[in-house]
């Protein structure tokens, strides 16, 4: 009996132990299930939050980041927009979004370059045709000026020259050839020719400080240099008061090159504008038409493209006159010295006193020892010996050549005016019309010339600082 009781007790104890153990196991399983359920809920909530964050970043990418990146392609100072929530964003999502942004930016840049190249090509074709027509008009006007004394022809010729400069600048900006070939030309003559292409030409005062008055620019760089100087002069006249002068200095640099310095007393430029202008004048590769503004401010971009193609350089800074100073430097490899057979223009201003330059009109006995020659510059050699102008003349004439008179620009202008008056008088005398009609025609012609000069100086004053 006792044994039975013990056995029952043992069995009961074992059953109790097993039940307790089973309860503990069931409790542990229940807690694990609850933990898993809680973890699943947390994970599901986190996944939902990450999904919503990714959707928000995608929307932010489409609405803000891609437009900002596209804007920064044309405006380097535009802010770059980052992630909406950089601290909470998943690293993998951030990398994927960055890759999408880079791909979109590259696609937009490629399409922009393709469109710009197509626009340049179309403009090159158009400017070539217009430029050819303007040269034909120029030739026709020159013929008409020889046959008629109507001053309106001079105004038409000047307007045609202004249009030709604009077309040339546009063609150069579109990577086209300047469209005109010229021979070796005196540096001062090139500056004077560029002055004639600018509306406010009467305000431009050229000071000649060249030591060697026959200093010239080689043929391949003559027209590009004239275009560059004309663009800088147009900026200087357009951005300074109409009553102020624009001083231009032509001088040889301390090294082997030459300088054309242009000052204006205008509104000047802010530091950001100066930085942008210097970048354009350095001749960068990737300047697009869309970067030049609306309306385009292309002057510095044109000069920069010529700088890169032909090897001269240009720098802008604040001018002591209050505006902007532009310094165009021509290196020695683009310079030469023209020989004595080339007659210098009487319209070129003479050397400034103390500049150390001798004029071509100096007689054979003139003292030129104080004018140092430019020995380092190349010189053009004649291919055939020059004919002796004294051959066949009396010995007295050959031994004592007549001295060439030295004339000032004002005297030369007066002589040309007297010549024109004489030709006009001869034509009037040959006409069957009475003398009174001829006199009245001459008076109206003079009045027309005055109107043309006034109108020409006020033209094109709406140019923007390039």
């Amino acid at each position: 009996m006792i044994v039975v009781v013990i056995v029952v007790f043992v069995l009961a104890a074992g059953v109790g132990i097993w039940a307790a153990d089973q309860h503990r196991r069931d409790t542990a399983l229940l807690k694990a299930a609850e933990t898993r359920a809680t973890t699943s809920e947390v994970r599901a909530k986190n996944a939902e939050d990450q999904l919503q964050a990714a959707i928000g970043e995608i929307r932010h990418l489409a609405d803000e980041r891609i437009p900002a990146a596209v804007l920064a392609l044309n405006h380097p100072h535009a802010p770059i927009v980052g992630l909406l929530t950089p601290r909470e964003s998943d690293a993998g999502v951030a990398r994927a979004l960055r890759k999408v942004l880079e791909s979109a930016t590259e696609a937009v840049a490629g399409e922009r370059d393709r469109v710009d190249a197509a626009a340049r090509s179309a403009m090159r074709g158009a400017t070539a045709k217009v430029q050819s027509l303007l040269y034909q008009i120029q030739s026709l006007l020159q013929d008409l000026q020889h046959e008629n004394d109507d001053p309106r022809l001079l105004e038409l010729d000047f307007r045609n020259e202004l249009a030709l400069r604009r077309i040339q600048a546009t063609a150069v900006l579109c990577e086209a050839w300047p469209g005109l070939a010229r021979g070796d030309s005196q540096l001062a003559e090139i500056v004077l020719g560029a002055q004639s292409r600018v509306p406010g030409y009467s305000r431009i005062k050229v000071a000649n400080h060249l030591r060697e008055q026959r200093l010239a620019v080689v043929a391949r760089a003559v027209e590009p240099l004239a275009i560059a100087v004309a663009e800088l002069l147009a900026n200087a006249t357009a951005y300074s008061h109409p009553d102020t002068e624009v001083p231009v200095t032509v001088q040889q640099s301390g090294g082997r090159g030459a300088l054309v310095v242009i000052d204006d007393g205008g509104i000047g430029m802010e530091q950001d504008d100066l930085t942008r202008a210097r970048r354009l004048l350095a001749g960068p590769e990737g300047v697009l038409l869309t970067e030049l503004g609306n309306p385009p401010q292309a002057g510095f971009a044109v000069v920069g493209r010529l700088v890169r193609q032909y090897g001269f350089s240009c720098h802008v800074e604040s001018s002591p006159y209050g505006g902007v100073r532009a310094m165009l430097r021509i290196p020695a490899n683009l310079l030469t010295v023209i020989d004595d057979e080339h007659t210098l223009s009487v319209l070129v201003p003479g050397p400034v006193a103390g500049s150390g330059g001798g004029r071509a009109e100096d007689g054979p006995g003139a003292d030129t020892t104080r004018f140092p020659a430019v020995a380092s510059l190349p010189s053009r050699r004649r291919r055939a010996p020059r004919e002796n102008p004294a051959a066949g003349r009396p010995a007295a004439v050959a031994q004592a050549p007549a001295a060439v008179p030295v004339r000032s620009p004002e005297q030369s202008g007066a002589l040309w005016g007297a010549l024109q008056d004489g030709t006009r008088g001869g034509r009037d005398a040959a006409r069957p019309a009475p003398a009174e009609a001829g006199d009245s025609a001459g008076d109206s012609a003079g009045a027309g010339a005055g109107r043309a000069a006034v109108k020409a100086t006020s033209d094109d004053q709406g140019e923007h600082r390039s």
Side-chain angles (χ1 to χ4, degrees):
M1 188 67 182
I2 296 174
V3 174
V4 173
V5 172
I6 293 172
V7 170
V8 171
F9 179 77
V10 171
L11 291 174
V15 170
I17 293 172
W18 175 84
D21 186 61
Q22 186 66 31
H23 179 71
R24 285 194 299 271
R25 285 197 298 268
D26 292 342
T27 302
L29 291 174
L30 182 60
K31 288 183 179 180
E34 291 176 353
T35 303
R36 286 194 298 269
T38 304
T39 303
S40 299
E41 291 177 0
V42 171
R43 288 179 179 176
K45 187 177 182 305
N46 291 340
E48 181 67 21
D49 293 342
Q50 290 178 358
L51 178 60
Q52 294 300 324
I55 293 175
E57 291 291 354
I58 292 173
R59 290 175 178 172
H60 181 62
L61 176 70
D63 296 339
E64 301 293 338
R65 297 183 67 188
I66 291 180
V70 172
L71 181 64
L73 292 176
N74 293 329
H75 302 280
H77 297 290
I80 302 298
V81 180
L83 293 172
L84 184 62
T85 55
R87 294 184 178 180
E88 301 176 5
S89 298
D90 182 78
V93 174
R95 286 194 299 269
L97 293 177
R98 184 168 59 251
K99 182 62 176 178
V100 171
L101 180 63
E102 292 174 355
S103 300
T105 305
E106 290 176 1
V108 171
E111 184 65 15
R112 182 194 62 171
D113 294 342
R114 187 192 66 80
V115 172
D116 191 83
R120 288 178 186 272
S121 178
M123 291 182 65
R124 274 198 302 270
T127 54
K129 295 179 180 178
V130 175
Q131 192 172 0
S132 176
L133 291 174
L134 291 176
Y135 280 130
Q136 296 175 22
I137 294 174
Q138 186 182 60
S139 179
L140 178 61
L141 287 173
Q142 290 175 356
D143 293 339
L144 291 176
Q145 288 174 25
H146 287 293
E147 300 172 2
N148 303 275
D149 287 330
D150 193 339
R152 291 176 296 181
L153 294 176
L154 296 176
E155 182 178 353
L156 285 175
D157 185 50
F158 181 66
R159 301 288 175 178
N160 184 76
E161 191 70 31
L162 293 179
L164 185 58
R165 180 178 68 84
R166 292 296 183 87
I167 288 295
Q168 275 187 308
T170 304
V172 169
L173 190 61
C174 296
E175 301 177 346
W177 180 58
L180 184 64
R182 298 166 60 177
D184 297 347
S185 300
Q186 184 191 13
L187 177 57
E189 289 182 1
I190 295 174
V191 176
L192 201 66
Q195 177 184 354
S196 67
R197 305 181 185 186
V198 177
Y201 61 89
S202 60
R203 297 163 47 206
I204 300 172
K205 307 301 178 184
V206 181
N208 186 352
H209 289 272
L210 293 176
R211 300 190 299 272
E212 172 57 69
Q213 294 305 303
R214 292 187 174 273
L215 187 68
V217 178
V218 296
R220 65 184 178 87
V222 170
E223 187 62 18
L225 181 64
I227 296 174
V229 174
E231 290 297 322
L232 297 175
L233 290 176
N235 261 358
T237 54
Y239 280 90
S240 56
H241 195 276
D243 295 335
T244 61
E245 293 183 350
V246 176
V248 179
T249 304
V250 185
Q251 63 187 44
Q252 290 172 235
S253 61
R256 299 177 54 191
L259 287 173
V260 178
V261 183
I262 302 170
D263 287 284
D264 68 74
I267 59 178
M269 300 176 70
E270 299 294 337
Q271 187 60 42
D272 289 345
D273 296 330
L274 278 175
T275 302
R276 177 178 178 273
R278 289 166 182 165
R279 183 181 69 85
L280 292 175
L281 290 172
E285 289 282 350
V287 177
L288 302 176
L289 298 178
T290 53
E291 297 182 34
L292 303 179
N294 185 19
Q297 301 176 17
F300 288 151
V302 171
V303 177
R305 190 167 294 278
L306 293 172
V307 161
R308 180 164 56 88
Q309 290 178 343
Y310 294 92
F312 47 89
S313 61
C314 186
H315 175 75
V316 289
E317 61 184 24
S318 297
S319 170
Y321 294 88
V324 175
R325 165 173 287 180
M327 294 176 287
L328 192 65
R329 181 182 179 277
I330 305 100
N333 64 320
L334 296 180
L335 295 175
T336 184
V337 177
I338 53 178
D339 53 34
D340 296 338
E341 289 181 345
H342 183 93
T343 303
L344 302 182
S345 173
V346 296
L347 299 178
V348 174
V352 177
S355 61
R359 289 186 58 82
E361 292 83 2
D362 292 341
D367 180 16
T368 59
T369 57
R370 56 191 177 91
F371 306 141
V374 188
S376 59
L377 293 172
S379 178
R380 297 291 182 184
R381 301 297 183 185
R382 293 188 298 271
R383 297 184 178 181
R386 186 173 56 177
E387 295 182 359
N388 185 5
R393 297 182 183 178
V397 177
Q399 294 176 0
V404 180
V406 178
R407 301 189 184 98
S408 66
E410 291 77 10
Q411 292 173 334
S412 301
L415 291 176
W416 279 109
L419 177 61
Q420 187 177 19
D421 292 340
T423 56
R424 182 185 297 114
R427 291 192 182 98
D428 292 341
R431 293 171 183 163
E436 290 80 2
D439 294 338
S440 61
D443 294 340
S444 23
R451 288 193 299 271
V454 173
K455 188 174 182 181
T457 55
S458 62
D459 181 54
D460 205 16
Q461 292 301 314
E463 286 191 5
H464 294 267
R465 175 72 70 183
S466 299

